[in-house]
Amino acid sequence: MNRLLSQSTRRESGSVAVEFAILLVTMLIPLLAGALFFGRFFWHYTVAEKAAQDAARFVATASPTELKVQCTVLFYRDPCVVMAAMGLAATELEELNPGGIDAPSVAIYCDDKKCPTNRGTGLPSAISAEIRMTVEDPFLTGLASFFMGPDASVTYPIVATARSHYVGN
């Protein structure tokens, strides 16, 4: 009887290791995918926040004469300070590949109003920059499209803002 019990225990000892390996893989892959996605998300947010801070600081440290230069052409190479700050932020965001449909958008605000292309004579007391973009994860989108259909995607919006006092007053 003892011999029969020891033979049956010996045959089942490998099955526990196989079950553990299967369970470990099925738990480890989603955890790893989630960690990679949130790491990528926070990396994008950090770069966007830094770009917003740099753009706000660039406009906030411009002289009153530079700030009063009227923007005539809506290009980033324009000598207008607001357009130059938007170009600065766009350049910093070029390294990112958020995967969203739309490109990241940059907006500069003077006293909580969008800085117009033709500024008036008054100087703002505060400058803020806002960057909006969406992050899409290709791995999680592949899983979502497998389970929910081909049009499913995993996207999260990012809004990074920075505010600075205008030093020219």
Side-chain angles (χ1 to χ4, degrees):
M1 181 75 170
N2 266 348
R3 202 163 125 206
L4 190 60
L5 272 171
S6 68
Q7 284 179 353
S8 99
T9 319
R10 209 175 309 143
R11 277 187 258 139
E12 293 178 7
S13 66
S15 67
V16 173
V18 170
E19 289 173 2
F20 179 72
I22 291 171
L23 181 66
L24 184 67
V25 169
T26 56
M27 295 296 287
L28 190 63
I29 288 177
L31 285 174
L32 183 63
L36 289 174
F37 173 72
F38 283 111
R40 185 171 179 252
F41 176 82
F42 287 119
W43 173 56
H44 279 73
Y45 179 77
T46 303
V47 171
E49 187 72 25
K50 176 75 169 113
Q53 289 172 358
D54 289 345
R57 187 180 313 117
F58 184 79
V59 176
T61 58
S63 70
T65 308
E66 290 174 329
L67 197 58
K68 289 180 184 177
V69 171
Q70 292 186 353
C71 301
T72 55
V73 183
L74 295 177
F75 291 117
Y76 291 139
R77 307 266 186 256
D78 195 16
C80 172
V81 173
V82 174
M83 290 298 161
M86 291 171 70
L88 173 72
T91 303
E92 290 182 21
L93 294 172
E94 282 177 356
E95 73 181 53
L96 297 179
N97 183 15
I101 298 169
D102 300 326
S105 67
V106 181
I108 307 292
Y109 296 97
C110 300
D111 290 332
D112 298 327
K113 296 178 200 157
K114 210 167 201 177
C115 286
T117 53
N118 293 325
R119 283 210 38 85
T121 58
L123 293 173
S125 62
I127 305 291
S128 58
E130 179 182 86
I131 296 176
R132 291 182 175 271
M133 64 182 179
T134 57
V135 176
E136 181 177 6
D137 188 77
F139 181 73
L140 292 178
T141 297
L143 283 176
S145 64
F146 177 75
F147 289 111
M148 297 186 294
D151 295 336
S153 68
V154 178
T155 59
Y156 289 98
I158 291 179
V159 178
T161 58
R163 188 175 176 92
S164 182
H165 293 288
Y166 180 62
V167 297
N169 286 336

